[in-house]
Amino acid sequence: MKILHVITMLDIGGAERLIVDLLPRLRDLGHEVDLLLFNGVDTLFKSELERQGINIYELSHGHDVNDFLFKVYNPWNIVKIRKYLNRYDIIHTHNTACQLYVPISKSLGLNKKPFLVTTEHSSNNRRRSIWWYKPIDKWMYNRYTSIVCIADKPRENLERYIGAKPSILTISNGVDTHRFNRPIKDISNNTCFVITMVAGLRAEKDHETLIKAMAHLPEKYSLRLVGSGEREKRLKALVDELDLNSRVAFLGVRMDVPDILAQSDINVLSSHWEGLSLSSVEGMASGRPFVASDVDGLREIVSGAGILFPHGDDKALAREIQNLCENPVLYRSIALACQERARKYDVSVMAEKYSNLYKLLGRKPLC
């Protein structure tokens, strides 16, 4: 099959990481796979895909990720997309602007080709709270032959929103667990402990609770935050307010995340909501205990393996972290359970399922 994936840009994030891991594997499975970016701003993820030989096209090229709104939501993109439609058997979209603009572009022509596929990467989004947007969403989703949800909870939420449809299915996200797999640490002689959270500094993430938890932990605990985003200034102000500057480090965007996780003692994801978080699977694969908010999209992955704490409860989070670090036997058992759970979400399993979906669509008549 000849397939074009379409995403806004390759900034650091879960959907973007999926693209980087998935596309080379689909090519290895025999598909011809290209990528189209609404904003082709140069990023580390973009460079990684280029090194792997994936063809990347772009509708525009911003100078930095702050060009996002103009470059991504420019209506002229609808016209620009049209020249790609007849080149591919399947166009697979990610993120709101791409999900909407691609079917609009296709509807402006008479061509039946290509099949449209989209992936829902979250269990919720801000569009669903806007009452007048629902008819637009329903029209948009009805243009897709297949809608892939990255976990059962996002699928349930989407079906409540637009109604159950045969076109909606679940393919769990996956990561290259071998890149993250490390031996379990022996912490029995530790004199200090490093906590790490890998997540964009964006609205759906709850960095505040983790930062506040640090105020309840002894001085021997330090925190590293990996990622970038629009909330960085606000989070740094909170760190300053709590007098935690010597114990909390903002590392920005990094490509050595497997090594950073391996150097940690505890990996945490504090979040308001998730779809199926790739960073949670990476954290569990790393050989370190994983602690996460008890919210949709994390509960399904972590429950029975890692530790869940009540959403927004900084004191409970601090207790869970300290309990793990003060009990080497518990620490090891949770780390082992996390690694075992992560194996179920390996990227090779995900790639095979997407490949099978594309082959199935290839046998359907265009209508």
Side-chain angles (χ1 to χ4, degrees):
M1 303 291 291
K2 193 171 184 181
I3 304 154
L4 179 69
H5 278 254
V6 187
I7 194 167
T8 51
M9 59 183 177
L10 284 178
D11 193 15
I12 302 299
E16 295 79 4
R17 180 75 253 179
L18 180 144
I19 291 288
V20 173
D21 285 341
L22 177 61
L23 267 56
R25 286 168 173 81
L26 290 174
R27 180 189 58 196
D28 294 343
L29 289 170
H31 300 285
E32 186 176 338
V33 187
D34 297 330
L35 176 65
L36 175 64
L37 303 175
F38 275 26
N39 181 0
V41 60
D42 294 326
T43 65
L44 294 172
F45 275 180
K46 184 182 178 187
S47 297
E48 185 175 341
L49 268 184
E50 288 172 335
R51 284 195 301 271
Q52 296 190 68
I54 298 297
N55 292 324
I56 299 178
Y57 304 103
E58 53 192 55
L59 300 183
S60 59
H61 191 96
H63 296 293
D64 57 52
V65 295
N66 294 321
D67 290 330
F68 180 83
L69 286 177
F70 175 72
K71 298 294 184 182
V72 167
Y73 286 95
N74 186 339
W76 188 244
N77 286 340
I78 295 170
V79 177
K80 292 180 178 180
I81 290 165
R82 291 209 56 201
K83 72 176 184 179
Y84 295 96
L85 293 178
N86 282 322
R87 299 184 191 178
Y88 296 91
D89 302 305
I90 292 171
I91 293 185
H92 189 146
T93 67
H94 308 260
N95 300 348
T96 298
C98 307
Q99 286 179 317
L100 180 60
Y101 284 11
V102 167
I104 291 176
S105 183
K106 183 181 177 184
S107 70
L108 294 177
L110 298 176
N111 49 307
K112 296 179 180 179
K113 192 177 181 180
F115 289 111
L116 299 186
V117 176
T118 192
T119 294
E120 281 290 303
H121 289 275
S122 181
S123 59
N124 204 348
N125 61 56
R126 282 169 283 190
R127 302 196 315 265
R128 297 181 193 175
S129 64
I130 305 172
W131 66 268
W132 54 263
Y133 203 92
K134 187 171 184 179
I136 300 173
D137 260 351
K138 293 190 79 169
W139 177 90
M140 177 191 80
Y141 286 119
N142 280 327
R143 307 280 78 75
Y144 284 93
T145 308
S146 289
I147 303 166
V148 178
C149 296
I150 61 172
D152 288 335
K153 194 63 180 182
R155 178 178 178 172
E156 292 169 11
N157 290 348
L158 180 62
E159 289 180 333
R160 275 198 295 270
Y161 179 60
I162 64 169
K165 299 175 181 295
S167 59
I168 304 175
L169 66 149
T170 298
I171 297 179
S172 296
N173 268 6
V175 302
D176 186 353
T177 57
H178 298 290
R179 289 180 61 234
F180 294 87
N181 203 328
R182 299 292 189 278
I184 308 297
K185 259 190 176 182
D186 179 4
I187 62 160
S188 55
N189 296 317
N190 275 29
T191 57
C192 59
F193 296 95
V194 177
I195 304 155
T196 298
M197 176 165 161
V198 179
L201 309 182
R202 298 190 289 267
E204 64 267 29
K205 311 300 180 184
D206 184 18
H207 291 83
E208 284 90 345
T209 294
L210 179 53
I211 291 170
K212 290 175 183 177
M214 293 300 298
H216 304 300
L217 290 167
E219 291 285 329
K220 64 182 178 179
Y221 291 84
S222 62
L223 171 63
R224 301 182 302 180
L225 299 175
V226 179
S228 65
E230 67 275 5
R231 303 187 67 251
E232 182 172 346
K233 186 175 180 180
R234 184 183 303 179
L235 295 173
K236 285 183 174 178
L238 177 60
V239 169
D240 188 56
E241 177 188 331
L242 296 175
D243 195 24
L244 293 170
N245 287 293
S246 63
R247 297 169 55 203
V248 179
F250 289 80
L251 303 188
V253 175
R254 300 287 291 264
M255 294 303 290
D256 58 342
V257 170
D259 294 329
I260 291 173
L261 294 177
Q263 293 159 10
S264 305
D265 297 294
I266 302 282
N267 293 318
V268 175
L269 183 54
S270 178
S271 188
H272 296 300
W273 72 84
E274 293 285 343
L276 188 152
S277 167
L278 292 177
S279 61
S280 65
V281 179
E282 293 169 355
M284 290 196 295
S286 68
R288 309 292 176 262
F290 187 74
V291 183
S293 307
D294 189 2
V295 297
D296 289 349
L298 287 173
R299 185 182 305 115
E300 294 83 355
I301 306 172
V302 178
S303 181
I307 302 292
L308 292 168
F309 69 93
H311 171 240
D313 192 334
D314 51 289
K315 292 181 180 178
L317 174 56
R319 286 195 299 270
E320 296 292 0
I321 291 171
Q322 194 164 8
N323 187 40
L324 282 167
C325 292
E326 292 179 355
N327 294 275
V329 174
L330 175 65
Y331 180 99
R332 181 172 179 80
S333 68
I334 295 296
L336 284 169
C338 286
Q339 276 193 327
E340 182 63 28
R341 177 65 57 80
R343 292 189 187 100
K344 296 181 179 180
Y345 297 96
D346 190 77
V347 67
S348 60
V349 177
M350 176 188 70
E352 191 69 41
K353 290 180 178 179
Y354 272 112
S355 178
N356 290 338
L357 171 62
Y358 297 147
K359 292 174 183 176
L360 179 64
L361 292 180
R363 293 193 289 270
K364 294 181 68 171
L366 282 163
C367 56

